[in-house]
Amino acid sequence: MLVLGLLMPVIGLIIGGVLHKTHIKWRMTPIDWLTLSLLIASDILILVRYHYQAISLLIMILAFVAICVAIGLAWRRGEILYHTFFKLWWRLLFIPSILAYLVLIVLQWC
């Protein structure tokens, strides 16, 4: 399980890169696939380290980032366009997911 948690971001980048290079143009870039794989890897690492399923915690983080993005878009632009909201939300979710993943990696070796 630990190896899967460590390799999941690499697998996500490979899948994203392969799908991005195909003739079918996906709107998701490799970074978008990396975000998804980081969330899954964080859940696996929390399960390995603490024997706790952290899906509920990850969902709360997703909701918190979504609320902050919605408030920011409403304040800055005066409107919330769904395409812009979801794209910005997913791209901003990369930052806490990579930070959580790096902290979990450090905690695995302590």
Side-chain angles (χ1 to χ4, degrees):
M1 284 294 269
L2 180 62
V3 174
L4 180 65
L6 294 174
L7 291 179
M8 186 64 75
V10 176
I11 294 168
L13 274 177
I14 290 171
I15 291 171
V18 168
L19 289 176
H20 194 66
K21 297 290 183 190
T22 60
H23 68 281
I24 302 171
K25 290 299 176 187
W26 291 74
R27 289 186 178 196
M28 291 181 68
T29 62
I31 296 297
D32 296 332
W33 287 97
L34 180 63
T35 303
L36 179 63
S37 63
L38 283 172
L39 290 172
I40 295 169
S42 296
D43 183 50
I44 291 171
L45 290 176
I46 289 172
L47 181 65
V48 168
R49 174 78 174 170
Y50 299 108
H51 305 292
Y52 176 73
Q53 195 71 31
I55 292 293
S56 60
L57 178 64
L58 292 174
I59 290 173
M60 286 191 302
I61 290 171
L62 292 172
F64 178 73
V65 172
I67 290 169
C68 292
V69 168
I71 291 171
L73 281 175
W75 184 327
R76 177 91 170 140
R77 296 186 181 172
E79 64 183 0
I80 300 173
L81 302 173
Y82 287 115
H83 177 72
T84 306
F85 166 74
F86 285 118
K87 190 171 186 176
L88 183 63
W89 171 65
W90 192 251
R91 300 279 166 90
L92 282 178
L93 193 60
F94 174 74
I95 296 167
S97 65
I98 192 77
L99 290 176
Y101 180 76
L102 292 174
V103 165
L104 287 169
I105 291 295
V106 169
L107 288 176
Q108 287 294 326
W109 306 116
C110 291

